[in-house]
Amino acid sequence: IEQGKYDKAAEILHKVLEREKSKFGEVGNNSAETLLQLGLLEFKSGNFVSSMHFYNKSLNIMEESLGVNNSQFSNIYVHLGQNYIALKQYHEALDAFQHAISVLVVDFDPTDFLENPDIGRLVLDKLELIKSLQAKAGGLMNYYHESGDRSEEHTSELQSH
């Protein structure tokens, strides 16, 4: 992937996925990681819809095998958010970033995109929280840049979603 040989990487990852499925079944952390890598590959190739498909499959497998309160979810939600930004779906991106944050911070589940957690709260993975907050900040900047309006009216519209 890093060398830019996306077709070859996709071929290898699909073979790995088939081998994992035959060896471990559909559900398993290995398959979830391979699906995540396929999602990253599709994202780098500009295939954002396909990328989201792989991310969502990875999320479903992780949820089934690890449960919903796992810090690995945060990483996938950040990638989903980046996909939404590429598709210029900023509200969905902010929702994904907020979800990434809520996975990492115990008892934090706001619907207001402008709200951030108290850093003093119990955090499952501080580095992932920082990455999620940075991604959210980028999403907010894209939202405001695209709208061209930084007024109070726009802020209240964002908060209502």
Side-chain angles (χ1 to χ4, degrees), residues 2 4 10 16 22 38-39 47 51 54 62 64-65 77 86-87 90-93 95 102-103 123-124 134 149:
E2 297 303 320
V16 168
S22 68
L38 281 164
N47 301 321
S51 179
F54 286 117
M62 281 190 181
E64 199 170 307
S65 63
Y77 280 111
L87 295 168
Y90 301 114
H91 287 287
E92 290 84 354
D95 185 46
S102 70
V103 166
V123 176
L124 298 178
Q134 287 174 328
D149 181 7

Side-chain angles (χ1 to χ4, degrees), residues 78 97 101 116-117 119 128-138:
V78 167
F97 296 140
I101 294 166
N116 288 314
I119 300 301
E128 284 299 320
L129 177 61
I130 291 167
K131 289 178 187 177
S132 298
L133 288 167
Q134 287 174 328
K136 178 182 165 183

Side-chain angles (χ1 to χ4, degrees), residues 12-32:
I12 292 168
L13 286 171
H14 281 289
K15 285 180 182 178
V16 168
L17 185 61
E18 288 306 313
R19 194 171 320 133
E20 289 169 353
K21 283 182 181 179
S22 68
K23 193 172 185 178
F24 303 109
E26 180 80 27
V27 177
N29 290 339
N30 292 339
S31 295

Side-chain angles (χ1 to χ4, degrees), residues 70-90:
N70 188 292
S71 62
Q72 293 177 3
F73 277 88
S74 175
N75 186 37
I76 298 174
Y77 280 111
V78 167
H79 290 304
L80 281 169
Q82 291 166 337
N83 260 316
Y84 283 124
I85 285 175
L87 295 168
K88 298 188 183 307
Q89 297 176 357
Y90 301 114

